[in-house]
Structure formats: structure tokens, C-alpha cells
Amino acid sequence: MDSFSNVFSLEGKVALVTGASYGIGFAIASAYAKAGATIVFNDIKQELVDKGIAAYKELGIDTHGYVCDVTDEAAVDAMVAQIEKEVGVIDILVNNAGIIKRIPMTEMTAEQFRQVIDVDLNAPFIVSKAVIPSMIKKGHGKIINICSMMSELGRETVSAYAAAKGGLKMLTKNICSEYGQYNIQCNGIGPGYIETPQTAPLREVQPDGSRHPFDQFICAKTPANRWLKPEELQGPAVFLASDASDAVNGHILYVDGGILAYIGKQPQ
């Protein structure tokens, strides 16, 4: 059994998870640490990096945190070079950093649209491009892009986010197509609706005792009939970062409680 479980081990690997001071990125990086990886992460401000390092320390995890804007190509190249020098060649990259702006399309400015595309699509291109050459030299690498339900589905007010995440799905497939020959696997994870501090207001019980309308909507659309927990992304993320997934490439693994398989409940 031990030799089989070794294929899921990340012992001796260096993992860079972007924007992993908190939330989904934090949950994934924590799982990688438990599987044996050395964790590197970035955030856009020193204050967030410091908070992230402290939060990992509370779990007994030593991390390397860097301040870097992932939309800035020169800054990303400098960070990757620094990581290679101070920690080692990056074996696993998780493109997790992202933003969303919920604005009706006709009210959204082109500048706001571009900002979302820049963080959610251009940045994964920039960071992937920075780590791929050393992965080629090493003869192995894993790139995991955090996609979304909006890589497949549309919704009101998220035109820029859906466009970016749909593009990220295709960037994932194209990295696979272009660099699979070098033993680099690029896959995506598409989280469903996750219980995080940011979504907490959407799950609050209303003054009349009823559930929030969005909470009702999500549960009705999910065969699991509930929001998912950040920890439920950990197993899939470790699988896609480990040798167990060496034959899995260009795939988007939706961890969504079944949303994409389901047409939804018939109204009563």
C-alpha cells in the first residue's frame, strides 16, 4: 500500500501557488505542504504576504512568501528567478490569483473588463510562461489553473469573469498541447460554490428565518444540495500535482457537487 500511496506524494517538490494568502489558494497550498511539498506563494501587498505566512505558521507550515503583481511580466520573471535561486526550481504551479467584478455588461467600462481579463487570464499566461523553461530542463512539471463554473456557464453581471475563465480553460488545453511532449501536465480545477468568508453573507439566515435567496438558488442547482468546503478541493489538487496524474493532461476537473451534470429542480 505504501508504494501505491507514494504516487500521491509531493515530497521534495517546490509548489508556487499564486495569491495563496487565504481562501482556495491557502487550502490548496496547505494540502501540498501536508503531502510533502515546499510552499511558495505571492500576493500583491506585503501586508497580505505577512498575514499568509502567519496563517500557515499556525498550521505548522513554513512557507516562502513574495510580493508580486502577477500581471507584471518583468516582476513575475524576477520573482521566478528569485524562487529558483532561494528555494529551487518550481515543480508545481497553481494559477490561483483572481478577481471578479459583478457589473451588468452594458454598465461595465472597457477598462474594468480589461482589468479582470488581465488578472484572471493574462496573469496565468505570464506566470506559466515564466516557469515552463525550467520545467522543460528538469523534464517534468505540473501547471494547475483555477478555472470556474463560469468556464462553462454564463450568469448575469459576470461577462468579464466568464470570458476570462472560459479563456483560461482553453489556455489550459493549449499549454497541454504545446508542452505535453516535455512531460509537463497542465490541467484545471473548476470549483463549485465554496463556503468562504467572502460568500458568508450569501448564506446568512434572513430576519424572517428563511435562507438567503442566493443560498436557495445554489442548493437547488447542486445535486449535493449544499455549498462545498474549501478542503474538498484539496484531494483533487494533490492528485493533479502528483505523479498519479501523469497521464491526465488538458483536463478541467470540476469539483462542483454535480452542478454541471444537472438541469436543476423543477419549480413547485
Side-chain angles (χ1 to χ4, degrees), residues 152-190:
E152 300 291 340
L153 302 169
R155 217 182 144 254
E156 299 83 355
T157 76
V158 294
S159 57
Y161 185 78
K165 293 297 188 178
L168 186 58
K169 173 182 74 171
M170 290 312 300
L171 178 64
T172 301
K173 290 174 182 281
N174 211 80
I175 292 171
C176 155
S177 304
E178 205 162 343
Y179 297 103
Q181 63 183 309
Y182 301 105
N183 196 25
I184 293 169
Q185 290 84 47
C186 181
N187 294 290
I189 292 179

Side-chain angles (χ1 to χ4, degrees), residues 22-25 27-28 96 102 146-149 161 189-203 214-215 218-219 222 226-234 236 253-257 259:
Y22 57 89
I24 286 171
I28 289 173
N96 165 74
R102 292 182 177 88
I146 302 302
C147 294
S148 166
M149 295 287 88
Y161 185 78
I189 292 179
Y193 287 87
I194 310 284
E195 283 183 13
T196 63
Q198 291 92 328
T199 61
L202 300 172
R203 289 178 277 109
F214 193 77
D215 181 24
I218 289 306
C219 290
T222 308
R226 62 177 177 84
W227 291 68
L228 310 177
K229 298 183 185 307
E231 307 81 68
E232 291 178 295
L233 295 169
Q234 292 180 324
L253 176 52
Y254 289 100
V255 186
D256 66 353
I259 290 174

Side-chain angles (χ1 to χ4, degrees), residues 79-172:
M79 176 183 72
V80 169
Q82 197 178 350
I83 292 166
E84 288 189 359
K85 188 178 167 189
E86 295 175 358
V87 187
V89 170
I90 294 158
D91 300 285
I92 301 156
L93 165 65
V94 180
N95 284 308
N96 165 74
I99 59 168
I100 188 167
K101 289 183 184 292
R102 292 182 177 88
I103 304 168
M105 184 173 157
T106 54
E107 294 167 27
M108 186 174 232
T109 65
E111 188 183 350
Q112 288 169 325
F113 187 91
R114 282 190 200 104
Q115 188 189 358
V116 176
I117 299 291
D118 208 21
V119 177
D120 293 357
L121 181 56
N122 289 343
F125 163 78
I126 289 167
V127 187
S128 298
K129 187 161 80 81
V131 304
I132 284 170
S134 290
M135 287 180 172
I136 290 173
K137 277 184 205 157
K138 199 168 188 179
H140 188 49
K142 300 280 185 176
I143 298 172
I144 296 153
N145 293 323
I146 302 302
C147 294
S148 166
M149 295 287 88
M150 303 301 113
S151 298
E152 300 291 340
L153 302 169
R155 217 182 144 254
E156 299 83 355
T157 76
V158 294
S159 57
Y161 185 78
K165 293 297 188 178
L168 186 58
K169 173 182 74 171
M170 290 312 300
L171 178 64
T172 301

